[in-house]
Amino acid sequence: MPSAEAHPGAVRTTRRRPPVRRVFRTAFPYDTVVRTSLWAGVAVVCALFAWGAWQRRWIADDGLIVLRTVRNLLAGNGPVFNAGERVEANTSAAWTYLMYLGSWVGGPLRMEYVALACALGLSVLGVALLMLGTGRLYAPSLRGRKAVMLPAGALVYIALPPARDFATSGLESGLTLAYLGLLWWMMVRWGQPVRNRPESPFFLGVLAFVAGFSVLVRPELALMGLLALLMMLIAARTWARRGLIVAAGGLLPVAYQIFRMGYYGLLVPGTALAKDAAGDKWSQGMTYLANFDAPYAVWVPAVLLIPLGVLLAAARRRPSFLRPMLAPHYGRMARAVQSPPAVVAFVLVSGLLQALYWIRQGGDFMHGRVLLAPLVCLLAPVAVIPAPIPDGQDYSRETGYWVAGAAGALWLGVAGWSLWAANSPGMGDDATRVAYTGIVDERRFYAQATGHAHPTTAADYLDYPRMAAVLSALDNTPDGALLLPSGNYIQWDIVPMARPAPGSPADDVASQTPAHAVFFTNLGMVGMNVGLDVRVLDQIGLANPLAQHTQRLQHGRIGHDKNLFPDWVIADGPWVKVYPGIPGYLDQQWVAEAEAALRCPETQSVLGSIRAPMTPHRFVSNVLHSFEFTRYQIDRVPRYELARCGLPVPEETPPPRE
């Protein structure tokens, strides 16, 4: 056809291209009713969750442990629990540094309030992201269809009392929930097809970074993060994109792992070593699962949500225009991996793996806590559900009414259960009693023990048995002392600080400086109510490097199943080691044997890795020996430890005459 320029008198015409059907990557490309109902559901569920969590607000003792580390960071002592001893007492590195940042920004605001606000805000954000991610999952099948989005799995989660308890506990539970919601939303977006072009490098890099960040939120979340990275590598179309995924996903976790190995001398967090995270206690794990299920009949929403999910999947419209939009060279395996069904499988498998890990490990001593993250993953695909409005387009109105009726009936069952569970008494009379299972409702336990309905500050915990007395004992021992818990809840047993003989080589200024230490299980409430110059140790190994390297007791309380004798603490410090300086219920021969056992060369190397000044040489040495330091174990009985190290038993000292 001749152009207009070839014929000046001709009428200028414009050739129109045929219309192209575009697929927009908006978050919610469906009609107003669907979009409005989804956002309304998100707003209502988040408001209910925030209100319910606030009604149960508190800060756990373990949450105060994190804040003790933050205090040391702010004081310039490093990420440690006790100054001069590099022990990683917190499981979540990300939560520790987030609290450090929040406390630094918050300035004069109490750390406990910063932790409370961050935990609650992140918990609510996590639920919102979870629901929005699921809403996006259903977007392609709802294009041009009428439906109402109803909260389902999200209702189940917020109805559970433990979910509301740990939304403000000062632990990393809120961060974990926000992380899971964000990763779910991003994976759904990644799994939806793109019109004839690959995913943008920026989004791909951010998603890889978020997936790799999993191990810093909680170590067991690495199971989920690694699975996400593996899916991304399989779906990547070029080696450049694979390199981007590896770099973005691995840079920060690998860097922090090298830091951990060099600074702490371990391959894993100290808490993982203390709780023997690689061990197995299947029977206790099943007990923990039953303890979580029984008070709320969690199996009921499972019975309702599984057929509901199957029904929605069967009724989902699969648009025929999606497959041609993918590039021809995009392989079958890549298409299968980068797809909504694969993303759903990813989150379900991740939840099952985490649940299986915790059941194998034995669970926890806090009711329901460690099963919340696996539950979030399992609920994600049905966090919200589309209740279709029959219009006769995809199937007959009769079939549509049947589908809508079945979905509505199942949803009403879920809503009814949620209302009942939200008002459940939970563990009932056993909530605050440490029974044979070792599992308690921590919030109710500390509310009862402190006399505060909402123990949210360290000062509230001064009403816990022995806590007020610890401050009095420190004031009454200006020359230094080790405090041991006594049978009387209002006093402590005192082991005075040893004083060298006048004129001896040890008689210098440093040895005369008064030192204090407290040996007690509840590290958080003690650590946040005493100065950073007071060394706070426990017998289970969260902040005690010696207890960390003992063996796990077969029948100990879960999460507290290491138990170091106080003789080791006396032997390891500048304390009097003979009668009458030590309590009468201790054996000074055991103290002498523990002191001798500490001279074991391997034990000295392990202690030197965290107590010697940090230098480049020390850092490299710790990295090279971190594997053997992590595997190293001592025997909690001093004489057996002497035999293991091949050291002589010290001569017995006769007890003093009465």
Side-chain angles (χ1 to χ4, degrees):
M1 177 179 174
S3 64
E5 288 76 5
H7 302 277
V11 177
R12 188 179 184 90
T13 59
T14 302
R15 178 178 294 177
R16 294 186 178 181
R17 295 181 180 179
V20 178
R21 189 175 189 181
R22 295 181 180 274
V23 177
F24 296 99
R25 286 296 293 273
T26 57
F28 311 108
Y30 28 62
D31 77 5
T32 305
V33 175
V34 176
R35 186 184 300 110
T36 302
S37 61
L38 175 60
W39 280 104
V42 170
V44 170
V45 169
C46 288
L48 288 174
F49 188 37
W51 178 77
W54 182 254
Q55 294 299 313
R56 306 168 78 93
R57 63 192 179 277
W58 71 303
I59 296 289
D61 178 69
D62 284 35
L64 296 176
I65 292 177
V66 177
L67 299 184
R68 165 84 174 195
T69 301
V70 173
R71 285 177 64 197
N72 274 298
L73 274 167
L74 293 171
N77 298 326
V80 299
F81 192 80
N82 291 307
E85 197 167 61
R86 296 181 296 274
V87 174
E88 189 176 16
N90 307 327
T91 301
S92 174
W95 181 243
T96 299
Y97 287 100
L98 179 62
M99 287 298 94
Y100 168 66
L101 178 62
S103 299
W104 180 76
V105 172
L109 192 65
R110 288 191 69 110
M111 290 183 183
E112 295 93 322
Y113 297 149
V114 173
L116 194 72
C118 288
L120 180 58
L122 288 170
S123 296
V124 174
L125 176 62
V127 171
L129 289 172
L130 191 75
M131 297 176 70
L132 294 177
T134 308
R136 188 173 191 124
L137 177 70
Y138 293 115
S141 63
L142 292 177
R143 196 181 308 276
R145 296 176 64 181
K146 294 182 178 180
V148 176
M149 300 296 285
L150 300 173
L155 275 182
V156 171
Y157 183 78
I158 70 168
L160 291 169
R164 304 196 300 278
D165 286 348
F166 290 104
T168 61
S169 63
L171 295 166
E172 70 280 354
S173 302
L175 176 63
T176 301
L177 181 55
Y179 173 81
L180 293 175
L182 177 62
L183 183 60
W184 166 242
W185 183 89
M186 296 187 75
M187 285 297 290
V188 169
R189 183 188 188 280
W190 173 82
Q192 291 173 338
V194 185
R195 181 182 174 272
N196 234 356
R197 67 179 186 273
E199 195 64 72
S200 71
F202 176 77
F203 177 80
L204 201 65
V206 173
L207 176 56
F209 176 84
V210 171
F213 195 72
S214 59
V215 69
L216 300 180
V217 177
R218 278 200 65 91
E220 72 275 4
L221 290 181
L223 297 169
M224 190 174 189
L226 287 174
L227 183 56
L229 289 172
L230 180 61
M231 292 174 65
M232 295 172 66
L233 287 172
I234 294 174
R237 308 185 193 184
T238 64
W239 284 106
R241 287 178 174 272
R242 294 187 181 99
L244 172 64
I245 293 168
V246 171
L251 181 61
L252 186 59
V254 170
Y256 188 81
Q257 181 62 22
I258 294 173
F259 167 76
R260 172 181 284 145
M261 294 162 65
Y263 191 77
Y264 300 110
L266 295 175
L267 295 174
V268 296
T271 52
L273 195 62
K275 298 186 179 183
D276 193 15
D280 63 273
K281 282 191 173 182
W282 286 101
S283 60
Q284 176 64 26
M286 295 304 297
T287 299
Y288 188 79
L289 178 63
N291 176 269
F292 178 55
D293 171 74
Y296 321 109
V298 180
W299 60 271
V300 172
V303 168
L304 296 172
L305 288 173
I306 290 175
L308 182 56
V310 172
L311 177 66
L312 294 174
R316 185 172 68 93
R317 183 173 63 181
R318 297 166 177 80
S320 60
F321 59 84
L322 293 180
R323 185 175 296 274
M325 290 190 302
L326 298 173
H329 65 277
Y330 202 37
R332 181 177 300 175
M333 176 65 75
R335 287 200 302 269
V337 169
Q338 191 174 358
S339 65
V343 172
V344 171
F346 151 77
V347 75
L348 292 177
V349 169
S350 297
L352 290 173
L353 287 176
Q354 290 179 57
L356 186 64
Y357 165 78
W358 281 114
I359 293 172
R360 177 185 183 274
Q361 205 269 342
D364 192 40
F365 63 94
M366 300 187 195
H367 169 63
R369 177 197 172 199
V370 296
L371 292 180
L372 292 176
L375 182 65
V376 168
C377 294
L378 296 175
L379 292 174
V382 288
V384 295
I385 61 157
I389 300 175
D391 54 12
Q393 293 183 12
D394 296 293
Y395 31 72
S396 66
R397 287 187 179 273
E398 290 76 10
T399 303
Y401 284 125
W402 181 87
V403 171
L410 291 171
W411 181 82
L412 286 175
V414 170
W417 174 90
S418 299
L419 183 62
W420 169 81
N423 296 280
S424 167
M427 294 177 64
D429 295 337
D430 288 336
T432 59
R433 184 169 60 91
V434 183
Y436 180 76
T437 64
I439 305 168
V440 297
D441 183 330
E442 282 281 290
R443 185 190 64 82
R444 289 176 60 185
F445 176 86
Y446 283 119
Q448 176 180 325
T450 62
H452 295 274
H454 305 289
T456 53
T457 66
D460 291 336
Y461 280 90
L462 288 175
D463 293 320
Y464 187 82
R466 294 195 179 96
M467 285 303 100
V470 76
L471 301 182
S472 299
L474 292 175
D475 290 338
N476 294 332
T477 54
D479 295 330
L482 167 67
L483 277 59
L484 301 177
S486 70
N488 189 330
Y489 282 168
I490 60 172
Q491 71 181 43
W492 290 77
D493 290 330
I494 303 297
V495 180
M497 186 174 175
R499 297 295 176 182
S504 65
D507 186 21
D508 52 24
V509 176
S511 64
Q512 296 296 325
T513 303
H516 284 97
V518 182
F519 185 63
F520 194 54
T521 305
N522 301 84
L523 291 172
M525 62 181 73
V526 176
M528 283 297 288
N529 279 304
V530 301
L532 295 179
D533 58 331
V534 178
R535 193 164 176 241
V536 183
L537 299 170
D538 63 321
Q539 71 268 37
I540 61 178
L542 295 178
N544 189 334
L546 286 173
Q548 278 183 358
H549 291 278
T550 58
Q551 291 184 346
R552 190 184 194 187
L553 300 178
Q554 184 64 31
H555 300 291
R557 184 189 179 194
I558 190 67
H560 297 71
D561 38 13
K562 289 188 176 182
N563 191 0
L564 189 72
F565 298 116
D567 311 76
W568 289 93
V569 183
I570 297 173
D572 190 39
W575 321 115
V576 172
K577 297 173 174 52
V578 294
Y579 298 125
I582 63 175
Y585 54 79
L586 297 180
D587 189 334
Q588 68 181 16
Q589 178 62 23
W590 272 54
V591 175
E593 291 173 1
E595 187 178 22
L598 287 172
R599 302 190 188 101
C600 181
E602 292 84 0
T603 303
Q604 287 290 307
S605 296
V606 170
L607 294 178
S609 69
I610 60 172
R611 292 177 178 174
M614 178 50 62
T615 62
H617 179 270
R618 168 58 57 189
F619 188 91
V620 173
S621 176
N622 283 357
V623 170
L624 297 177
H625 295 91
S626 57
F627 179 73
E628 62 184 85
F629 290 161
T630 304
R631 294 180 63 237
Y632 186 70
Q633 286 191 335
I634 67 174
D635 199 298
R636 57 197 290 267
V637 178
R639 184 162 296 195
Y640 294 165
E641 176 64 9
L642 288 171
R644 187 190 69 83
C645 288
L647 297 175
V649 177
E651 183 178 349
E652 292 199 20
T653 303
R657 296 180 180 179
E658 296 184 0

